[in-house]
Amino acid sequence: VQLVESGGGLVQPGGSLRLSCAASGFTFSSCNMRWYRQAPGKERELVAGISSGGGFTNYADSVKGRFTISRDNAKNTVYLQMNSLKPEDTAVYYCYAANMEYWGQGTQVTVSS
């Protein structure tokens, strides 16, 4: 099982980033996927989740209306589109394969002017 995140970086407040998580080694289309984040000194928190077929999504209140989770089962990839970024969104973002209980290595997102 492998989850490889990409797309993190440094962005100014109000900017956008799109994170990607490429999956391999399991049946991606049967797996519910989630994005979590962990800021320095804080616990890891759920950001967004998406069902295996993509028909159901859920979001943390802090990102509703700004972030969008999606997936492409043909490409074995889950995405997190992040708009209107705020400094408090700064964290390491992790992809999680819920059915497999497997984490990616994380990608750093820093929102700063």
Side-chain angles (χ1 to χ4, degrees), residues 13-113:
S16 298
L17 283 175
R18 188 174 84 152
L19 305 183
S20 299
C21 172
S24 60
F26 64 100
T27 306
F28 179 78
S29 60
S30 297
C31 190
N32 299 323
M33 300 295 296
R34 300 173 190 160
W35 285 97
Y36 286 79
R37 67 185 181 186
Q38 188 166 20
K42 294 188 176 181
E43 293 187 353
R44 193 170 295 189
E45 63 173 354
L46 176 65
V47 175
I50 188 166
S51 60
S52 57
F56 177 80
T57 58
N58 63 290
Y59 298 91
D61 287 343
S62 58
V63 306
K64 280 181 182 176
R66 301 188 298 121
F67 290 12
T68 303
I69 188 171
S70 63
R71 65 191 296 159
D72 185 339
N73 285 347
K75 295 183 178 179
N76 286 0
T77 302
V78 61
Y79 304 97
L80 186 67
Q81 177 67 44
M82 306 186 293
N83 298 329
S84 302
L85 282 161
K86 305 175 181 179
E88 51 263 43
D89 294 317
T90 296
V92 178
Y93 284 71
Y94 297 91
C95 178
Y96 179 68
N99 306 61
M100 303 297 295
E101 298 184 337
Y102 193 83
W103 295 91
Q105 84 288 350
T107 186
Q108 176 70 47
V109 171
T110 302
V111 185
S112 175
S113 54

Side-chain angles (χ1 to χ4, degrees), residues 2-18:
Q2 190 172 24
L3 298 172
V4 179
E5 298 101 330
S6 61
L10 173 64
V11 63
Q12 292 187 342
S16 298
L17 283 175
R18 188 174 84 152

